[in-house]
Amino acid sequence: MTDHPAAAAAAALIRDLAEATSDARDAYASHADIASVTGSLLALSQHLEDVLDHLARHIDRHDDDWTTTDGERRLPRQVARDASNQIRSAQADAHNMARALARSAEALGHLKPAT
């Protein structure tokens, strides 16, 4: 299986963000950094939800184009439907993540640095 160029680039950026924010001493140097990362993660989760929807729809659209590997007892359409359902589950998780991040971003909007 090969990486889709855009998906590989997105994964690399997320990996970089995870590494950049792993040191609690300086990962979030200011309240603005915290709000910025939260907002960016909100946007990411919304885009992830869209990508998962597109992926599930494409699997559904191509469910007649599949064949199964040796040893798979289910029909190709059943396997594709199961994959699509799992992606829809991940899409629902992304939707819930976006909602939670939106609430967090809103709450952060009510805070300011103590001086």
Side-chain angles (χ1 to χ4, degrees):
M1 185 180 293
T2 60
D3 284 340
H4 186 284
L13 290 172
I14 294 166
R15 194 172 37 254
D16 290 347
L17 176 62
E19 289 173 7
T21 58
S22 65
D23 186 353
R25 294 169 296 180
D26 64 358
Y28 301 105
S30 70
H31 293 311
D33 287 347
I34 293 170
S36 175
V37 170
T38 303
S40 294
L41 290 174
L42 170 57
L44 174 69
S45 64
Q46 291 166 334
H47 293 302
L48 179 60
E49 183 181 359
D50 291 342
V51 169
L52 290 167
D53 175 56
H54 300 161
L55 184 59
R57 281 192 283 139
H58 288 292
I59 289 172
D60 292 342
R61 191 178 82 212
H62 293 288
D63 69 357
D64 289 333
D65 300 344
W66 303 98
T67 187
T68 53
T69 59
D70 293 338
E72 175 59 57
R73 293 185 161 177
R74 296 175 294 168
L75 296 172
R77 180 172 276 177
Q78 292 169 321
V79 175
R81 184 80 45 190
D82 185 44
S84 177
N85 288 339
Q86 294 301 320
I87 290 169
R88 291 284 182 204
S89 178
Q91 179 189 7
D93 291 343
H95 177 78
N96 290 334
M97 182 177 17
R99 289 179 47 208
L101 285 165
R103 289 190 300 269
S104 178
E106 182 179 338
L108 288 170
H110 297 287
L111 297 174
K112 64 180 183 177
T115 50

